[in-house]
């Protein structure tokens, strides 16, 4: 049994370009699907957030239309409520990477607010990348990669093939014109080799120990890839 670190946003809102705060947090499917996969494989999950705050689920991610109907929505909500690890997160600053076999970042718009500029998270990501341990990041989770800067100011993930929530998907979800910045644009500007798939379809990109997923539908296949690297 291995220990897998879940680094989850501590934000409960996303500040838009006009200064308004859009309620958000982490996206349910992106946390629940990998959690269930990791636990089913016999692994332990430990959750960490900035400041050790209990993470907030984006209520929109519990809607039937994002979970294949009412039954799916109820199942996700029930499962999430039973995940005790989310109720007692560690403080991200106190995490020791040596204690974990892999690291995983779920998305939601929350990481655009806090993890994108969180130096502790950035250092952890850089260390995880250098360690060779499996590092999984999905949807808006790659916003956290923007904080992983080297001493020379370059990004630790420059030159890596990766994916994340695309400009097209952000436009179709109605937020592109409201956002201060778009994730795909920032990752490309940081030097990443961004791989864009079909909107909303599962897409996972693997480059060395980095495993990234484009959108919520990519969370489960990303978890499978990560488990394969732990086998």
């Amino acid at each position: 049994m291995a220990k897998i670190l879940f680094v989850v946003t501590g934000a409960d809102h996303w500040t838009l370009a006009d200064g308004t705060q859009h309620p958000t947090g982490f996206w349910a499917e992106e946390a629940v699907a990998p959690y269930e996969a990791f636990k089913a494989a016999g692994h332990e999950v430990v959750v960490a957030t900035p400041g050790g705050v209990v993470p907030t689920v984006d209520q929109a991610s519990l809607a039937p239309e994002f979970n294949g109907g009412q039954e799916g929505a109820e199942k996700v909500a029930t499962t999430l409520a039973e995940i005790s690890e989310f109720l007692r997160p560690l403080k991200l600053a106190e995490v020791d990477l040596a204690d974990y076999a892999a690291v995983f970042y779920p998305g939601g718009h929350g990481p655009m607010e806090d993890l994108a500029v969180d130096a502790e998270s950035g250092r952890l990501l850089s260390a995880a990348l250098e360690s060779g341990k499996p590092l999984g990041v999905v949807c808006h989770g790659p916003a956290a990669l923007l904080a992983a800067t080297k001493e020379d100011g370059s990004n630790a993930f420059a030159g890596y093939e990766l994916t994340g929530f695309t400009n097209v998907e952000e436009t179709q979800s109605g937020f592109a014109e409201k956002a201060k910045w778009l994730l795909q644009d920032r990752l490309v500007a940081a030097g990443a080799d961004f791989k864009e798939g079909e909107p909303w379809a599962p897409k996972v990109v693997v480059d060395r120990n980095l495993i990234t997923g484009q959108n919520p539908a990519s969370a489960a296949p990303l978890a499978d890839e990560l488990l394969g690297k732990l086998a």
Side-chain angles (χ1 to χ4, degrees):
M1 183 180 76
K3 288 173 70 174
I4 300 176
L5 178 68
F6 262 47
V7 180
V8 185
T9 177
D12 61 6
H13 69 274
W14 176 33
T15 305
L16 302 177
D18 65 359
T20 59
Q21 294 185 349
H22 171 70
T24 186
F26 68 89
W27 198 259
E29 180 182 0
E30 297 167 24
V32 170
Y35 176 88
E36 289 187 313
F38 298 156
K39 295 291 281 190
H43 300 304
E44 179 183 352
V45 171
V46 177
V47 175
T49 64
V53 301
V54 174
T56 298
V57 64
D58 188 320
Q59 289 299 311
S61 70
L62 300 176
E65 58 263 36
F66 295 120
N67 294 283
Q70 185 62 37
E71 184 178 343
E74 292 174 358
K75 180 178 182 296
V76 167
T78 299
T79 302
L80 196 56
E82 294 173 349
I83 300 177
S84 61
E85 291 91 340
F86 279 82
L87 301 178
R88 42 182 174 79
L90 302 178
K91 293 181 180 178
L92 187 56
E94 297 176 358
V95 165
D96 184 351
L97 180 63
D99 294 337
Y100 303 94
V103 179
F104 173 72
Y105 278 65
H109 279 116
M112 301 277 280
E113 183 75 20
D114 62 352
L115 296 178
V117 293
D118 190 293
E120 293 291 348
S121 173
R123 282 191 284 273
L124 176 70
L125 284 164
S126 296
L129 193 65
E130 293 173 6
S131 74
K133 296 178 180 182
L135 171 59
V137 196
V138 68
C139 200
H140 287 92
L145 308 186
L146 300 172
T149 52
K150 298 181 180 179
E151 289 185 5
D152 64 4
S154 65
N155 190 278
F157 293 85
Y160 274 78
E161 291 187 358
L162 53 78
T163 190
F165 205 64
T166 66
N167 290 354
V168 171
E169 288 167 325
E170 203 72 86
T171 299
Q172 292 180 356
S173 65
F175 286 106
E177 293 185 358
K178 302 175 184 178
K180 290 182 179 179
W181 48 272
L182 299 179
L183 178 59
Q184 181 176 350
D185 291 346
R186 283 287 179 91
L187 290 170
V188 170
D193 183 2
F194 193 94
K195 301 298 183 182
E196 180 176 357
E198 288 297 316
W200 312 108
K203 182 175 179 62
V204 176
V205 176
V206 181
D207 188 346
R208 287 156 278 186
N209 60 317
L210 176 65
I211 314 160
T212 50
Q214 180 173 313
N215 46 36
S218 306
L222 184 154
D224 289 340
E225 286 282 353
L226 192 151
L227 287 171
K229 286 185 174 291
L230 281 179

